[in-house]
Amino acid sequence: KTVGPLLKQYQEEIDRLTKRAKHGETAYLDLYQKLFEAPDPAPALALAFEHASRATELEAQCKKLATELAEYKAESAQIKNQDLTVRKLEEKVRALE
């Protein structure tokens, strides 16, 4: 008599474990199938790496060009000042002649 209820509880536990295992296997297989059907990310990652490398190159080029532009602006301002000085000196020479 005492073995009957214990055996029933044991069988219920086995049934719960079996159900849990089946659920876990189903979830694993669903996930595996979705991952299997997913496209290979390697080409997209390689392309992203190429774009990142190109962006880094372009940023360096942009900085270089900005520096050159600043140098040209400074040189242009200096040339304008020199031109103004030359004109003033020419006027003085004319005035002195």
Side-chain angles (χ1 to χ4, degrees), residues 4-93:
L6 182 62
L7 189 59
K8 185 177 179 182
Q9 287 178 348
Y10 177 77
Q11 186 59 47
E12 289 172 355
E13 182 63 23
I14 295 297
D15 291 343
R16 284 192 297 270
L17 289 173
T18 303
K19 185 178 177 181
R20 188 171 124 195
K22 284 182 182 179
H23 177 72
E25 289 171 0
T26 302
Y28 172 78
L29 289 175
D30 288 344
L31 178 63
Y32 178 80
Q33 183 179 12
K34 289 177 184 175
L35 290 175
F36 183 76
E37 292 171 357
D40 183 13
L45 290 174
L47 185 61
F49 180 73
E50 288 177 24
H51 288 315
S53 296
R54 179 72 177 137
T56 303
E57 291 172 7
L58 290 174
E59 286 175 0
Q61 186 180 8
C62 183
K63 287 179 183 179
K64 179 183 174 188
L65 291 174
T67 303
E68 276 185 44
L69 180 60
E71 290 172 0
Y72 288 142
K73 283 182 179 180
E75 185 179 337
S76 174
Q78 185 180 8
I79 290 172
K80 286 179 184 178
N81 288 340
Q82 287 176 352
D83 186 45
L84 183 62
T85 304
V86 167
R87 286 185 191 158
K88 286 180 182 179
L89 291 173
E90 287 174 345
E91 288 176 13
K92 282 184 182 181
V93 168

